[in-house]
Amino acid sequence: MEEAVETAIILGNRIEKIVDVGVAGIHRLFAKLDIIRGAKVVIVVAGMEGALASVIGGLVDKPIIAVPTSVGYGANFGGLAALLTMLNSCASGLSVVNIDNGFGAAYNASIINKL
């Protein structure tokens, strides 16, 4: 997540970093939904099973770039579980970069922001 934040800032984007809004405590996500919906593009970084990207995809009408992470507990298989979940998402407007590729997500988000 920090790689995406720093890259987005270096590329001249205004960002709003929101943390700790996972699916397991979805009430925390709902509390930040107005901020998320106000963005032109959303980068979702998630580990474990990677469901957060699909959940946000069902709640917003903006492009979403999903970044699976290699860290986390449980059987995440180095990010493969999250990657496969994100790739299989039925949420519209969701694209996926490779595991831990915060740079790629921020670079693509920056392009979208400049359209």
Side-chain angles (χ1 to χ4, degrees):
M1 187 252 320
E2 290 301 329
E3 181 180 48
V5 167
E6 293 303 318
T7 300
I9 291 169
I10 289 168
L11 293 173
N13 297 276
R14 186 180 68 79
I15 65 116
E16 182 79 34
K17 180 171 79 171
I18 300 172
V19 298
D20 196 29
V21 292
V23 174
I26 202 159
H27 61 284
R28 296 184 307 247
L29 172 63
F30 294 150
K32 301 290 185 176
L33 207 47
D34 287 340
I35 296 168
I36 296 167
R37 285 182 172 150
K40 190 170 182 181
V41 59
V42 179
I43 297 174
V44 177
V45 180
M48 295 306 298
E49 80 290 340
L52 183 61
S54 289
V55 170
I56 291 178
L59 295 170
V60 303
D61 62 353
K62 306 297 192 310
I64 298 166
I65 303 170
V67 183
T69 65
S70 62
V71 296
Y73 54 90
N76 72 347
F77 302 107
L80 188 57
L83 174 66
L84 292 174
T85 297
M86 292 171 176
L87 287 172
N88 284 294
S89 175
C90 64
S92 300
L94 178 71
S95 50
V96 183
V97 297
N98 207 352
I99 298 167
D100 294 331
N101 190 7
F103 171 82
Y107 188 87
N108 286 318
S110 185
I111 292 170
I112 292 168
N113 275 332
K114 293 176 183 173
L115 291 176

